[in-house]
Amino acid sequence: MAEIDLKSSSQDRLMSGCSLWGKAGTRPVFRPLDDHLKVDALVIGGGVTGALMGQHLCERGMSVAIVDREQPGLGSTAASTAMLQWEIDKTLTELEQFYGFERAVGIYRRSAAAVSGLAKLITGHRIDCAFRPRQSLFLTSNHEGARDLAVETDLRQRAGLPSRYLEHCDLFTEFELDRDAGILSRGSAEADPLLLTWALLGMAGEAGARLVDASVNTLHSEGNRVTAETDGRFVIEAKAAVLATGYTMPGIDMPKLHRATSSWAMATVPQAPGTLWRDEALIWEDSHPYLYMRTTTDGRIVVGGEDDDTVDPAARDAKMPDKILAIREKMKLIWPQADTSVATSWCGTFGETVDGLPLIGPVPSLPHVYGAYGYGGNGITFSYLATQMIGAMMSGVYRDWFDDFAMDRDGPGGQSPKSGTRDVEMVAG
Ligand SMILES: Cc1cc2nc3c(=O)[nH]c(=O)nc-3n(C[C@H](O)[C@H](O)[C@H](O)COP(=O)(O)OP(=O)(O)OC[C@H]3O[C@@H](n4cnc5c(N)ncnc54)[C@H](O)[C@@H]3O)c2cc1C
């Protein structure tokens, strides 16, 4: 019998401050267990990943339980700036260097397909979550960066991805942005991540999923079943389980590919009418640490970045004033018209991988247990991708490309987690 210990770590270690999301939303009710429960699929975690996963498995006709030990959605999901992008934290140029052209292009196309699948899910079910399709603008601020973006655009166009190179004069005349170059891409979007999560949990609940208020303390995998011991008297037995526990990855031997960082974000007051940039495109930069910006339906600018490798929540919180100051200054450099007055600010744990890709698929050595860890700036895009992949895996369908995202995959240069694993008991703390 194989088992993992899911030690506790609380949401206030994942996020501090107050984000904008979820106003006027209905928080779904999670109830404690009053008996043992038997389901096809157990989803541990009720953030955006668990919500997407649970809703998808219900649509596949499975009986489902979604378990969260805290307020669903108020972990990393509430901290997200929810830019729903197909552009990955690593450029196509970088991914090609890591894995070759064919594999890199396949990964980018799947990311694009995930955003469009998510968009169809939201619009098809008329999910009220401030969803808006958006173009994205990837900016550089120097000549060297401009050359790199030209190469990146060529590569994307060879891959059939909807990107266009903008020189300084194009950026200035089309967007009033004073940068050396940029890539304009179609096919991204934005949303309110908390409204999305709560709506999906509600849909799963209506489709028969049990929304359970409990902590899963230990997960055993034996024969054809997985058993979850909770903090109460009752257990949940399932044919398969999905770990959607976000940046807390308890008790799993994690690949070397992964590391925890922190990111800071703020929302401005609503801007004066007519002062936002053209089309309110999603904006992000090639600099390190980078800045990312979007707008909201009530005319605010949401901006984040200044990522660093702080993991201790107290140290992360102490940095908040300086980080927000730096973000405001950088925002002003990109969009001088901005009123940078802070309406609210927050920060959270962030998970990254060496290749910018998520960790999705069977958890090594734990039969019938799957991990859905959508890391990086595309966390939510990858959460959707995880639902499609794990849903297929549970039905016995496997594709070669699933290996590109496997939890025990070789990293760039054959950096294999198998050749040196480290045990991460609890990434977030
Ligand atoms: C500042 C910031 C900005 C970001 N911006 C973006 C962005 O623009 N676009 C994007 O796509 N992504 C972005 N991300 C990343 C994105 O927010 C995450 O990828 C996503 O929210 C992860 O969701 P999740 O459901 O996996 O995790 P969470 O929302 O953290 O949910 C995990 C849940 O699991 C529960 N849980 C854990 N262990 C147990 C257990 N043993 N038993 C029961 N319950 C358990 C927790 O209580 C929690 O509710 C950003 C993140 C941060 C911090």
Side-chain angles (χ1 to χ4, degrees), residues 290-327:
Y290 66 49
L291 198 79
Y292 44 94
M293 279 164 73
R294 55 164 284 192
T295 61
T296 60
T297 46
D298 60 353
R300 297 169 197 274
I301 300 173
V302 173
V303 51
E306 287 300 298
D307 302 16
D308 72 24
D309 55 10
T310 310
V311 284
D312 173 52
R316 181 192 69 203
D317 298 352
K319 289 184 175 180
M320 186 97 123
D322 288 345
K323 293 286 187 181
I324 296 301
L325 196 63
I327 287 172

Side-chain angles (χ1 to χ4, degrees), residues 6 11 14 44-50 67-71 73 75-77 79-83 214-216 244-248 263 265 292 346 348-350 374 376-381:
L6 291 121
Q11 284 173 344
L14 291 177
I44 305 170
V48 69
T49 311
V67 183
D68 204 306
R69 62 182 168 211
E70 297 187 67
Q71 296 288 342
S76 301
T77 296
S80 185
T81 46
M83 292 164 55
S215 177
V216 173
T245 52
Y247 297 138
T248 57
S263 193
Y292 44 94
W346 64 94
T349 301
F350 207 63
N378 305 59
I380 299 173
T381 302

Side-chain angles (χ1 to χ4, degrees), residues 211-230:
L211 307 181
V212 179
D213 174 11
S215 177
V216 173
N217 287 345
T218 318
L219 205 55
H220 309 272
S221 176
E222 188 177 25
N224 282 330
R225 67 172 196 276
V226 178
T227 310
E229 276 175 26
T230 66

